[in-house]
Amino acid sequence: MEHLFKRRSKWVNGPLIIGAGPSGLAVAACLRDQGVPFVILERTDCIASLWQKRTYDRLKLHLPKQFCQLPKMPFPSYFPEYPTKSQFIHYMESYAKHFDINPQFNVTVQCAKYDDTCGMWRVRAINCDKKKPVEVEYICQWLVVATGENADCYVPEIEGMKEYKGSVIHAAEYKSGKVYQGKQVLVVGCGNSGMELCLDLCHHNAYPTMVVRDSVHVLPREILGISTFAISVAMMRWLPIQVVDKILVSLARIMLEDLERYGIRRPKMGPLELKNREGKTPVLDIGTLGKIKTGEIKVVPGIQRFTHRGVHLVDGRVVDADEVILATGYRSNVPSWLKGNDFFTKGGFPKVPFPNGWKGKCGLYAVGFTKRGLAGASHDAICIAQDISRIWRQETKQDKLTKACHRRCTSET
């Protein structure tokens, strides 16, 4: 295969950012504001590819826009409190244009490793943006990992799945319930995506059954017309997290009733503490529970195995399904390409928790791994840009040193 690729090396004048999602764009904007040059690589052909290519049509931000805006540029004032998918994409594109961020698209990183000999990062990538793939080695002083928590779809291994005769897709491929009209659809997963997919299927006259294997916190999206998240943030300023959790759960029980009789169990740990410790996001209900209570959405426990026509459940029941949608989430892909470091866990997250998990050793940085959404990514982006710009200003002799070490490398700014 080696003869298929042309090879060349590029010296990056400034940090190299891997990933042009919201996290990567946030770092790039903050670096631009500090006057630090950078190069940003993106494996797909667009920015914010998760939003553009792997989300369903009815998606809206789950939190109010003020908690989801990126550094140095708020959402337009005329946007609704919960922007739609198309509005968020428009915001991302405007953000990139405003800060003159021009990623190199269709460039997939194969391997990144720190070279102790020259004190630089060597990042091997394949550029497929041309007729023939080109292998490029980027050499840089700073490496910013911005591929995030949701880089790759997570597809669980369930016994008998290959025997099933219907179609099985990940939620990333789901766009609308229109094509499922009149069908029995099994949705595996009960997070925000699983809940919303079931609601969308109902709106298109399909018959969804949702698999709820584990306990999950479900909260109303708003309490008395105010965002539940905004209320929790305000209370956290004055009260311990355990007290805030008790208040939220009590309010949820009053507003949503006891959900256990519908097959949804609450975890023993509170929603905010569970989010901080394990990264499990509570579901913010936008109407799905109403459909569950009327029986339009059925809830079943975990799957034991697939059959030709459906699934055997752990409680012994058999459920037939025309189609299966896996709303089983995503995972980090960092371990597959970042080599020789102890900054990330085997699961692809920084070992040091928020708010100090953005900086590693030897010029390695991470953004978008806080399990705190866009607000967490923005926090890390600001910290990373400030840290790099401080070093950038101090190293006035950088150009002479790097030219001496890498005479054969072309410059990349």
Side-chain angles (χ1 to χ4, degrees):
M1 291 291 291
E2 292 187 3
H3 68 280
L4 294 177
F5 300 101
K6 296 180 180 180
R7 288 185 179 83
R8 56 175 176 166
S9 294
K10 289 185 177 181
W11 162 250
V12 179
N13 185 31
L16 180 66
I17 304 170
I18 312 300
S23 298
L25 296 180
V27 174
C30 293
L31 288 169
R32 182 74 75 201
D33 190 62
Q34 296 280 349
V36 179
F38 57 84
V39 171
I40 182 167
L41 306 181
E42 167 57 41
R43 65 179 177 176
T44 68
D45 60 357
C46 63
I47 63 169
S49 63
L50 177 64
W51 279 82
Q52 298 213 48
K53 296 178 178 291
R54 295 187 287 169
T55 51
Y56 40 96
D57 295 341
R58 67 166 288 126
L59 178 63
K60 294 183 180 181
L61 289 178
H62 295 127
L63 304 180
K65 61 184 180 181
Q66 65 265 30
F67 297 106
C68 300
Q69 60 195 23
L70 298 186
K72 306 184 183 300
M73 182 174 160
F75 281 96
S77 59
Y78 59 86
F79 271 25
E81 186 173 17
Y82 301 96
T84 64
K85 170 183 174 178
S86 61
Q87 287 172 329
F88 184 75
I89 293 171
H90 174 74
Y91 169 70
M92 288 285 93
E93 292 175 339
S94 299
Y95 191 85
K97 183 177 181 180
H98 178 78
F99 291 102
D100 193 25
I101 302 170
N102 301 292
Q104 296 182 12
F105 294 115
N106 298 306
V107 180
T108 302
V109 172
Q110 303 290 307
C111 178
K113 191 172 183 180
Y114 186 73
D115 189 338
D116 291 309
T117 304
C118 63
M120 297 288 167
W121 286 91
R122 294 185 177 273
V123 180
R124 182 166 53 84
I126 303 296
N127 187 339
C128 296
D129 199 28
K130 300 179 180 180
K131 292 182 179 179
K132 288 186 178 181
V134 177
E135 185 175 285
V136 182
E137 182 182 53
Y138 296 87
I139 301 172
C140 56
Q141 183 176 355
W142 301 286
L143 179 65
V144 181
V145 179
T147 49
E149 305 164 7
N150 303 316
D152 292 338
C153 299
Y154 172 66
V155 178
E157 293 183 6
I158 304 176
E159 183 182 352
M161 188 182 289
K162 293 182 180 179
E163 300 175 13
Y164 177 63
K165 298 303 182 181
S167 71
V168 180
I169 67 167
H170 191 274
E173 300 176 61
Y174 180 95
K175 297 302 178 185
S176 168
K178 186 176 182 179
V179 297
Y180 296 95
Q181 184 175 357
K183 294 184 177 181
Q184 299 283 346
V185 185
L186 187 71
V187 178
V188 182
C190 58
N192 280 297
S193 294
M195 290 275 192
E196 286 194 34
L197 261 60
C198 285
L199 183 61
D200 190 56
L201 287 164
C202 280
H203 288 166
H204 289 90
N205 299 315
Y207 304 99
T209 297
M210 183 169 60
V211 176
V212 181
R213 186 185 64 175
D214 299 319
S215 58
V216 59
H217 278 295
V218 183
L219 305 175
R221 186 172 71 170
E222 294 182 342
I223 299 173
L224 299 176
I226 304 173
S227 160
T228 301
F229 184 77
I231 292 173
S232 65
V233 169
M235 288 193 294
M236 286 282 288
R237 295 173 184 167
W238 308 101
L239 300 172
I241 189 171
Q242 292 83 0
V243 175
V244 176
D245 272 341
K246 288 181 179 179
I247 295 172
L248 290 177
V249 171
S250 297
L251 290 171
R253 282 177 176 156
I254 293 171
M255 297 180 66
L256 305 178
E257 303 176 24
D258 180 16
L259 301 180
E260 194 157 345
R261 60 175 172 166
Y262 300 106
I264 300 174
R265 296 175 292 110
R266 287 193 182 278
K268 293 182 179 179
M269 189 181 295
L272 298 181
E273 189 173 6
L274 190 63
K275 173 68 174 174
N276 286 349
R277 288 194 180 186
E278 301 181 19
K280 294 183 178 180
T281 303
V283 173
L284 298 176
D285 179 55
I286 58 170
T288 305
L289 286 182
K291 299 293 185 181
I292 291 174
K293 292 174 182 178
T294 61
E296 294 172 80
I297 297 174
K298 297 177 182 178
V299 175
V300 298
I303 298 171
Q304 186 178 62
R305 69 181 308 277
F306 272 84
T307 67
H308 290 290
R309 296 173 56 185
V311 294
H312 276 290
L313 302 174
V314 293
D315 64 358
R317 284 183 288 169
V318 177
V319 175
D320 291 339
D322 299 313
E323 314 279 350
V324 175
I325 302 172
L326 301 175
T328 47
Y330 299 84
R331 61 185 175 186
S332 166
N333 69 0
V334 175
S336 68
W337 57 270
L338 184 62
K339 306 300 180 182
N341 85 98
D342 60 358
F343 181 61
F344 284 87
T345 65
K346 292 181 179 180
F349 286 81
K351 293 179 179 178
V352 179
F354 181 84
N356 300 310
W358 54 272
K359 184 177 181 180
K361 299 177 181 178
C362 304
L364 178 64
Y365 297 89
V367 58
F369 297 91
T370 65
K371 298 181 180 179
R372 284 168 170 76
L374 295 171
S378 295
H379 168 275
D380 285 356
I382 293 170
C383 292
I384 291 169
Q386 289 176 344
D387 195 61
I388 292 176
S389 65
R390 175 181 57 81
I391 303 170
W392 174 268
R393 292 190 184 97
Q394 291 174 351
E395 297 188 353
T396 55
K397 296 181 180 180
Q398 179 181 350
D399 287 344
K400 293 181 180 179
L401 291 173
T402 53
K403 286 179 181 178
C405 292
H406 306 287
R407 296 175 184 273
R408 297 184 180 181
C409 298
T410 60
S411 178
E412 186 78 5
T413 57

